[in-house]
Amino acid sequence: MFTRILTTALIAGAGAGLCAAILQLFFLQPVLLHAELYESGTLVHFGGPAADASPPPFSLDLMRDGLSILFSMLIYSGYALILVAMMSLAEEQGALIDARRGLLWGIAGFCAVQLAPAFSLAPEVPGAASADVTARQIWWFATVIAAAFALWLIAFGRSWLLWAGAVVLLLAPHLVGAPTPDSFAGPVPTELGALFASRALGLGLVAWVLTGFFAGALWASDPEASA
Amino acid sequence: MNTQTLAVSKPASPRLAMAFAALLGLGIVVLAGHVQASAVHDAAHDTRHATGFPCH
């Protein structure tokens, strides 16, 4: 069982992470590099002549981008291990796992891990003002765990009480509120911050849908399939 | 006798395998996405921002 989870998750996660990293280099990295010019003070958009909005020319940095690809594959492999473990638990309880349902699992993963925390803690462009990183990480983990549990209850719960519990779990972290900075000091134009956040979420959706799809397809095609 | 041998050679509980896989995955996510040690942070910097992790 463990070997089956491991191989399914590592192939699915590495494949999805690679696709995500390539998209990241083309769609997110230019925005990030542009923002870093403001973070470092090379560009300033207030107190002087209007800032030129044209992005810096596309460039690849072998070391830096190579590490991004590596870490993207690592992170999605980690997520895939958790996702496939949960898939096998669901299968044990009678759920069917295949490529098409894998898509749904991927969307659910995206909602739990990216959309739920982003609702109060938007993906940060470099240079954005933010609260203490440890406080944000604690809030992030609590929100992701609550949202994942809530989605499980929505998918597999069979009573109104469980569904109501799921709504409470989804709302609670945002009613408590994410840690916020004491003051706004970000030097990066809001236009870049907004583009970065929406592209990060779009990229996350693609990566998670691919993770779920690959995982579901591999899991269902495994000759050891016992259920 | 035969059934007893089969029962003994059965792999460990699937629940244990699931829990171990999920823990391993969590470890990878924490290491790659959350540990603040500067070497890991710098190497993973762009991907952490791209995946929406709280970063520095």
Side-chain angles (χ1 to χ4, degrees), chain B residues 21-42:
Chain B
L23 269 180
L24 182 66
L26 182 68
I28 293 174
V29 170
V30 168
L31 186 71
H34 297 273
V35 167
Q36 288 296 313
S38 66
V40 188
H41 169 272
D42 293 349

Side-chain angles (χ1 to χ4, degrees), chain A residues 14-199:
Chain A
L18 181 63
C19 296
I22 292 167
L23 287 173
Q24 179 188 330
L25 293 186
F26 280 98
F27 291 104
L28 212 52
Q29 197 68 8
V31 188
L32 187 145
L33 293 175
H34 199 180
E36 281 187 342
L37 293 177
Y38 286 94
E39 185 187 22
S40 64
T42 310
L43 291 178
V44 179
H45 72 113
F46 274 129
D52 184 359
S54 57
F58 182 82
S59 66
L60 283 175
D61 177 332
L62 216 58
M63 180 71 175
R64 182 173 179 172
D65 296 335
L67 282 169
S68 289
I69 294 173
L70 181 76
F71 272 94
S72 179
M73 292 170 76
L74 254 180
I75 289 171
Y76 281 98
S77 298
Y79 281 149
L81 277 166
I82 302 172
L83 187 77
V84 176
M86 292 171 80
M87 280 176 162
S88 64
L89 179 65
E91 191 186 59
E92 186 197 87
Q93 298 185 344
L96 188 67
I97 302 294
D98 59 16
R100 286 166 65 86
R101 283 171 183 81
L103 291 172
L104 289 176
W105 278 84
I107 294 170
F110 165 76
C111 290
V113 172
Q114 301 234 354
L115 191 58
F119 190 71
S120 288
L121 209 60
E124 292 158 20
V125 75
S130 52
D132 172 58
V133 68
T134 310
R136 281 181 294 141
Q137 286 179 335
I138 292 170
W139 186 88
W140 187 92
F141 270 107
T143 304
V144 168
I145 292 166
F149 193 50
L151 293 180
W152 182 281
L153 290 179
I154 289 170
F156 301 114
R158 288 284 173 269
S159 79
W160 286 101
L161 197 68
L162 292 178
W163 292 327
V167 172
V168 172
L169 280 173
L170 285 172
L171 284 177
H174 305 286
L175 292 174
V176 171
T180 49
D182 295 329
S183 59
F184 294 130
V188 179
T190 180
E191 292 86 341
L192 285 179
L195 182 62
F196 187 87
S198 53
R199 285 215 167 151

